[in-house]
């Protein structure tokens, strides 16, 4: 599950491309299947989105929620891939992108009527 925040005038026009870039990185680094795209976009009014100095109105926050199990080097590779692809494909400067990974234990996830620790049919690996 990924949540993306930004100023609506800047975020709305690039949502589809941004989703493609994010999912491409999730696939190449984490091995996520094509049909496991779960992105939520939160376009905000300028007056509702405070951010650090030195950033432009293109400032974008990406929160990645995932089950625990990915190695630190895998998570770092995902973050670096996102920075690179966002800059190359959307011209988003790394200074205007903030990425956080939030991990939860599998038992704290609920989907398809079960918890994550009960799922034995995932089409991707969590421990990578």
């Amino acid at each position: 599950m990924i949540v993306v925040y930004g100023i609506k005038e800047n975020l709305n026009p690039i949502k589809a491309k941004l989703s493609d870039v994010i999912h491409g990185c999730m696939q190449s680094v984490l091995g996520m299947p094509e049909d496991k795209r779960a992105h939520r976009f939160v376009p905000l009014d300028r007056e509702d989105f405070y951010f650090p100095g030195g950033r432009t109105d293109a400032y974008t926050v990406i929160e990645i929620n995932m089950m625990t199990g990915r190695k630190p080097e895998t998570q770092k590779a995902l973050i670096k891939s996102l920075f690179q692809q966002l800059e190359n494909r959307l011209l988003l400067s790394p200074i205007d992108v903030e990425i956080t990974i939030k991990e939860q234990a599998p038992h704290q996830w609920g989907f398809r009527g079960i918890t994550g620790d009960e799922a034995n049919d995932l089409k991707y690996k969590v421990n990578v």
Side-chain angles (χ1 to χ4, degrees):
M1 174 92 52
I2 297 172
V3 183
V4 181
Y5 302 88
I7 295 174
K8 66 181 176 184
E9 289 82 9
N10 294 306
L11 184 59
N12 283 334
I14 64 167
K15 281 192 289 195
K17 259 187 153 173
L18 184 53
S19 179
D20 289 343
V21 169
I22 292 169
H23 194 59
C25 291
M26 299 291 286
Q27 288 181 290
S28 66
V29 177
L30 301 181
M32 297 297 289
E34 176 59 38
D35 67 341
K36 292 298 177 195
R37 188 183 305 220
H39 302 168
R40 310 295 181 261
F41 289 88
V42 183
L44 298 165
D45 290 330
R46 176 70 176 89
E47 61 269 12
D48 294 326
F49 193 43
Y50 293 87
F51 48 84
R55 289 9 178 236
T56 72
D57 281 355
Y59 183 70
T60 304
V61 175
I62 302 170
E63 293 179 353
I64 303 169
N65 293 282
M66 62 174 64
M67 283 190 247
T68 54
R70 276 77 176 200
K71 297 174 189 168
E73 54 268 22
T74 302
Q75 294 181 28
K76 288 173 69 169
L78 175 60
I79 290 170
K80 290 179 182 199
S81 177
L82 283 164
F83 279 131
Q84 180 184 43
Q85 292 301 312
L86 291 169
E87 186 170 30
N88 290 345
R89 296 188 50 204
L90 292 174
L91 303 177
L92 277 175
S93 172
I95 194 73
D96 279 328
V97 178
E98 181 178 307
I99 303 165
T100 57
I101 295 176
K102 299 177 179 183
E103 292 184 299
Q104 301 89 25
H107 70 272
Q108 294 172 311
W109 281 78
F111 48 86
R112 300 188 328 250
I114 59 174
T115 58
D117 60 331
E118 297 170 329
N120 58 10
D121 62 344
L122 296 178
K123 295 179 178 143
Y124 56 93
K125 294 181 181 181
V126 174
N127 296 312
V128 293

